[in-house]
Amino acid sequence: MSAITFDPLPLLVGFTRALKAAGVPVTPDRAHGFVEATAIVGLDDQQATYWAGRATLCSGPDDLTRYDQVFEAWFDPRGELPRRRETGLPMPQAPALPSVDEAEGDADGEFDGDVLRAAATTTDVLRHRDVASLDAGERQRLAAMFATLRPTAPLRRTARHERWHRGRLDASRTLRDSLRRMGEPGELAWRRRRVRPRRVVLLVDVSGSMSAYADALLRLAHRYVAAQPRVEVFTLGTRLTHVTRALRHRDADRALVAAGDAVPDWSGGTRLGETMRVFLDRWGQRGMARGSVVVVFSDGWERGDATLLGEQMARLHRIAHHVVWVNPHRGKAGYEPLQQGIAAALPHVDDFVAGHSLAAFEELVEVVGRA
């Protein structure tokens, strides 16, 4: 697809209207999500545009065929679906859904409800799959689905006030208004505390035990950096690395490559207690963690002193507004936080949540937003 030199919004809105005319139930929220996702992945990347639209605009298996037909006609009149032109590899194909003809029915042509329920969209299934169990094609499709995440910043009240239609009585402004009217009584003035977004600090464990989840976690961090101005990202392993600047690239893949180049201990050992102490000594005491929402992504495997990790987590909990620990094993059946590291950290954590799938990341976004 050639570079876009015009306003792409009419093109994207027209595509959503064409989909709706073709029978795909496109709601305003889905159309808005598609426009936002395309702005992130870039309209010049036809493959990314295809998967962004499929992830945000399709809600059922019946929508997929219509979506492909409309996309071909709208973005590629030659009738060719987007392909990976850079590598020459075919675009990953979704597993075929059971068709009506293939489903077993009775003599009257009515089909078993279990069969129909089994024909769920591959997108929804992929949302709940463990990231570590995905193959290369599924990981690529999941990467495009990260554009649907919309992180919201937690808010804090400031010492300043602003005018409002209710709240606390603003006696000073009420008196000034009365003096302007030569003492005549008038309407009461009200005020409320202003709110500002809190800083969010993400600490991502990239050690060997977390290598299967590191790519997805950094993609989540990239969404936070792209969506919120007050976000800082660090990686944890045998040392601490500040990767916020690397993740400011608009393209997620380029951002992850830049972050990987900046991290010297990728898939190495784990010294959470020491790296946490370095973070608090160099950054926490200077104010980055003070009053912030701090999110730690780690499975809690600690090769160093677990007591040191507990002490540093207690120190972090005293200066941070809210501490969230995200463990990819938290959402698995039968998991118990028995590792020394996680056992030492949990008493100083406000929320202990799962982090193994896109659905878990969506829940994490809500937890952080209301912290």
Side-chain angles (χ1 to χ4, degrees), residues 202-211 217 234-241 265 268-281 294-316 324-329 335 339-346 349 352:
L202 308 179
L203 305 177
V204 183
D205 186 348
V206 295
S207 62
S209 63
M210 290 287 293
S211 59
L217 295 178
F234 296 82
T235 60
L236 306 174
T238 57
R239 63 182 67 186
L240 181 77
T241 307
D265 55 342
T270 310
R271 292 200 294 265
L272 293 176
E274 294 182 16
T275 52
M276 192 68 68
R277 179 171 59 185
V278 172
F279 168 72
L280 292 172
D281 289 343
V294 181
V295 186
V296 182
F297 299 87
S298 178
D299 55 4
W301 284 101
E302 172 64 291
R303 294 187 179 181
D305 186 3
T307 303
L308 176 62
L309 176 59
E311 294 173 352
Q312 299 307 311
M313 289 300 299
R315 183 180 169 195
L316 173 64
V324 182
W325 191 290
V326 182
N327 190 324
H329 305 301
Y335 169 76
Q339 298 88 353
Q340 292 183 352
I342 195 68
L346 278 183
V349 169
F352 183 46

Side-chain angles (χ1 to χ4, degrees), residues 138-252:
E138 291 170 332
R139 285 178 179 270
Q140 184 177 8
R141 291 167 51 206
L142 183 69
M145 293 169 61
F146 269 87
T148 62
L149 294 178
R150 299 181 179 86
T152 57
L155 302 176
R156 67 177 181 89
R157 292 185 177 182
T158 69
R160 295 180 178 272
H161 292 80
E162 62 181 356
R163 296 185 180 184
W164 197 239
H165 57 274
R166 63 175 182 270
R168 298 181 60 184
L169 177 65
D170 190 341
S172 298
R173 188 156 60 89
T174 302
L175 179 59
R176 289 195 300 269
D177 293 343
S178 177
L179 292 176
R180 293 191 190 99
R181 294 188 296 269
M182 304 300 293
E184 292 292 330
E187 294 184 357
L188 298 178
W190 305 93
R191 66 178 184 175
R192 69 169 183 174
R193 296 272 292 274
R194 290 183 179 178
V195 294
R196 291 188 59 189
R198 286 189 182 275
R199 180 183 287 110
V200 177
V201 181
L202 308 179
L203 305 177
V204 183
D205 186 348
V206 295
S207 62
S209 63
M210 290 287 293
S211 59
Y213 299 95
D215 179 90
L217 295 178
L218 287 178
R219 287 186 184 277
L220 174 62
H222 176 262
R223 290 292 300 127
Y224 265 98
V225 172
Q228 305 296 334
R230 293 172 58 83
V231 176
E232 299 291 340
V233 185
F234 296 82
T235 60
L236 306 174
T238 57
R239 63 182 67 186
L240 181 77
T241 307
H242 192 197
V243 295
T244 305
R245 180 174 297 180
L247 292 177
R248 293 199 185 280
H249 287 280
R250 179 180 178 185
D251 181 77

Side-chain angles (χ1 to χ4, degrees), residues 15-16 39 49 54 56 60 74 108 119 145 176 202 265 272 276 288 294-295 305 319 328 337 347 362 368:
F15 173 60
T16 61
T49 302
R54 181 163 165 157
T56 56
W74 193 266
D108 296 332
M145 293 169 61
R176 289 195 300 269
L202 308 179
D265 55 342
L272 293 176
M276 192 68 68
M288 180 176 289
V294 181
V295 186
D305 186 3
I319 64 176
E362 292 171 352
V368 174

